[in-house]
Amino acid sequence: MGYFLYKGLKKPLIFFGLKDKYIYFAMGSAVGGLITVAILSSLFGLFGMIIGAAIGGTGVFLSYKMQDSKGLYNKTRNEEELHIIPTKFRNVKLLPKKVNHELKEKNF
């Protein structure tokens, strides 16, 4: 019995509940928020710092929401398609005569 060398390699990277590309989105929003805090606090003081922190926090919050709504991979939604999958599929014309005769005896 052996173990794989790279066990769990194909799993996405997870950091504070964010997966893969959304980690980078949140990190970019947080860094952008810090830069905005630095710029606005020098211009407007405490009020600018609050606005900058709100902008950065909103970006991180939206990256969580985007992950929940869009998911990790691209998904196509086909709203207008209708798929009907029968539970039993029997084509009497294609079945051999012996099986066809047995089905008629069982009243299928």
Side-chain angles (χ1 to χ4, degrees):
M1 180 165 93
Y3 294 101
F4 294 110
L5 182 62
Y6 300 110
K7 191 173 183 180
L9 185 64
K10 294 184 180 180
K11 294 180 182 177
L13 180 64
I14 299 173
F15 183 71
F16 286 112
L18 290 171
K19 294 181 182 177
D20 204 24
K21 62 183 177 183
Y22 297 105
I23 295 172
Y24 301 114
F25 293 162
M27 188 170 35
S29 298
V31 170
L34 288 175
I35 293 171
T36 307
V37 164
I39 293 171
L40 291 180
S41 67
S42 66
L43 295 175
F44 301 111
L46 181 64
F47 183 67
M49 190 168 22
I50 292 171
I51 291 174
I55 290 172
T58 304
V60 172
F61 176 74
L62 289 178
S63 64
Y64 275 100
K65 285 305 217 181
M66 193 168 31
Q67 177 182 334
D68 289 341
S69 65
K70 292 187 177 182
L72 192 57
Y73 305 104
N74 292 333
K75 299 176 185 176
T76 56
R77 292 186 179 185
N78 299 321
E79 301 287 339
E80 299 174 3
E81 290 184 4
L82 178 64
H83 298 278
I84 300 173
I85 301 171
T87 56
K88 292 182 180 180
F89 182 79
R90 280 182 275 155
N91 192 344
V92 180
K93 294 179 182 179
L94 297 178
L95 291 175
K97 290 184 179 183
K98 181 180 179 182
V99 175
N100 203 1
H101 181 67
E102 291 174 2
L103 288 175
K104 285 182 182 179
E105 288 178 0
K106 292 181 182 179
N107 294 326
F108 280 105

